[in-house]
Amino acid sequence: MPFIEQASEAIRETGGRFTQQRRLIVELLEGAEGHLDAERLYQLAHARDETVSLATVYRTLNVLEGAGLIDQRYLSHSHERKVYEPVGASEHYHFTCTGCGRVIEFETQRVQRLKEALEVGLGVRVEHACLCLEGLCYACRTQQEGR
Amino acid sequence: MPFIEQASEAIRETGGRFTQQRRLIVELLEGAEGHLDAERLYQLAHARDETVSLATVYRTLNVLEGAGLIDQRYLSHSHERKVYEPVGASEHYHFTCTGCGRVIEFETQRVQRLKEALEVGLGVRVEHACLCLEGLCYACRTQQEGR
DNA sequence: GTATGTGCAAAACCTTTGCTATAAA
DNA sequence: TTTATAGCAAAGGTTTTGCACATAC
């Protein structure tokens, strides 16, 4: 099912309303190449529809997250701001280059395996795992190494 | 070398001054059983020495982090606040129970291996890795499961 | 003595919330 | 028509900063 319909249904199921502002925000999230933070999402939405406010962006993001449709992530070590992306099928994580700002996505089973190891070893149930990786990408690394 | 001396030397090496406030904050960080956030550190420090302000706590934490003496961590999924701890020899990470708030420390080589895999696979240099795990500890999990 | 550090209060920053009007159902 | 959602602006919580005074070196 397309993401917009998923969102529309999920919101309506809980008695919520699929307003034009919410529709626009959902469309932008779906179409985004990269990872949007609230401010950027607001800029994009506001450019298309002046009636969208930053408060509505935040409220909509929280609604969508509550419905399990998007994930919050932190990309930087300092975690200044959250970015949001549709929940996908693949377990993927992010590496952010502190040199050029590029975000590299990668898939790995290692986090999943770590979770399983902890559930067995510590007897816990892991509900959230956040992994933020930072450093230099290949281009920035070789450039810094002076060649 | 004791942590206090390390800190004293590191600060002085960069032309900094090892003031009484900084000494106290370093002592508290070293002696802490758990993971202190800035507010808690301020409470402890201020109780012992009224001249310590919250601003000085933050400034000192930043100086110590810059000198590589302490690490910032986020324990919760929502990352509301940072906690600080001396840089240790062991690679350890944290699991926070959302039921009772308990923080479980554990050691693992898995993050280190993930880093190495990325450095080879993507050609990057990983400088920071932040892993935040949340869920239910054994006690809270069994209680919630109703038995 | 000089530069760095300090407290205080105000600002910065991202995010949430109270209120009244609006619009989805 | 009913009730959730909107915008706006103000508040929230954590962290940083400007300034004048204090203090480590």
Side-chain angles (χ1 to χ4, degrees), chain B residues 16-17 19 21-22 51-53 56 59:
Chain B
R17 287 157 193 194
T19 61
Q21 292 90 344
R22 289 183 173 181
T51 79
V52 176
S53 71
T56 290
R59 282 192 273 233

Side-chain angles (χ1 to χ4, degrees), chain B residues 3-129:
Chain B
F3 188 58
I4 304 236
E5 280 178 38
Q6 267 183 270
S8 164
E9 279 194 17
I11 287 174
R12 276 191 256 253
E13 259 169 31
T14 62
R17 287 157 193 194
F18 198 59
T19 61
Q20 67 178 87
Q21 292 90 344
R22 289 183 173 181
R23 167 181 295 278
L24 175 53
I25 290 165
V26 169
E27 283 174 7
L28 289 169
L29 280 168
E30 181 178 32
E33 296 280 319
H35 304 90
L36 300 175
D37 60 37
E39 180 63 33
R40 182 83 189 112
L41 196 47
Y42 166 67
Q43 289 168 2
L44 295 173
H46 193 80
R48 282 222 232 162
D49 176 351
E50 286 206 333
T51 79
V52 176
S53 71
L54 185 54
T56 290
V57 170
Y58 276 109
R59 282 192 273 233
T60 301
L61 288 169
N62 288 337
V63 167
L64 294 173
E65 200 202 359
L69 293 162
I70 59 173
D71 271 343
Q72 286 184 16
R73 309 265 189 147
Y74 292 85
L75 297 186
S76 74
H77 178 60
S78 51
H79 297 200
E80 296 102 5
R81 49 178 64 191
K82 304 172 191 167
V83 298
Y84 301 83
E85 63 182 20
V87 170
S90 79
E91 280 276 306
H92 72 277
Y93 299 91
H94 305 89
F95 172 90
T96 305
C97 177
T98 53
C100 61
R102 191 156 73 97
V103 176
I104 301 175
E105 264 185 29
F106 60 91
E107 293 193 26
T108 183
Q109 307 297 323
R110 288 174 186 272
V111 179
Q112 184 57 38
R113 283 196 237 114
L114 170 60
K115 281 199 246 180
E116 287 161 9
L118 291 178
E119 297 196 332
V120 173
L122 302 176
V124 302
R125 179 161 71 225
V126 179
E127 289 173 338
H128 289 295

Side-chain angles (χ1 to χ4, degrees), chain A residues 17 19 22 51-53 56 59:
Chain A
R17 287 161 192 190
T19 61
R22 289 184 174 180
T51 78
V52 177
S53 71
T56 291
R59 282 192 272 234

Side-chain angles (χ1 to χ4, degrees), chain A residues 24-115:
Chain A
L24 175 52
I25 290 165
V26 168
E27 283 174 7
L28 290 169
L29 280 168
E30 182 180 31
E33 295 280 320
H35 304 90
L36 300 174
D37 61 36
E39 180 63 31
R40 182 83 188 113
L41 196 46
Y42 165 68
Q43 289 168 2
L44 294 172
H46 194 80
R48 280 222 235 163
D49 175 353
E50 285 206 333
T51 78
V52 177
S53 71
L54 185 55
T56 291
V57 170
Y58 276 110
R59 282 192 272 234
T60 301
L61 288 169
N62 288 336
V63 166
L64 294 173
E65 200 201 359
L69 292 162
I70 59 173
D71 271 342
Q72 286 184 15
R73 308 265 189 150
Y74 293 85
L75 297 186
S76 72
H77 177 60
S78 52
H79 297 198
E80 297 103 5
R81 48 179 65 196
K82 304 171 191 168
V83 298
Y84 300 84
E85 63 183 20
V87 170
S90 79
E91 279 277 306
H92 72 277
Y93 299 91
H94 304 90
F95 172 90
T96 305
C97 178
T98 54
C100 61
R102 190 156 74 98
V103 175
I104 302 176
E105 265 184 30
F106 60 91
E107 293 193 27
T108 183
Q109 307 298 323
R110 289 174 185 271
V111 179
Q112 185 57 38
R113 283 197 237 114
L114 169 61
K115 280 200 246 179

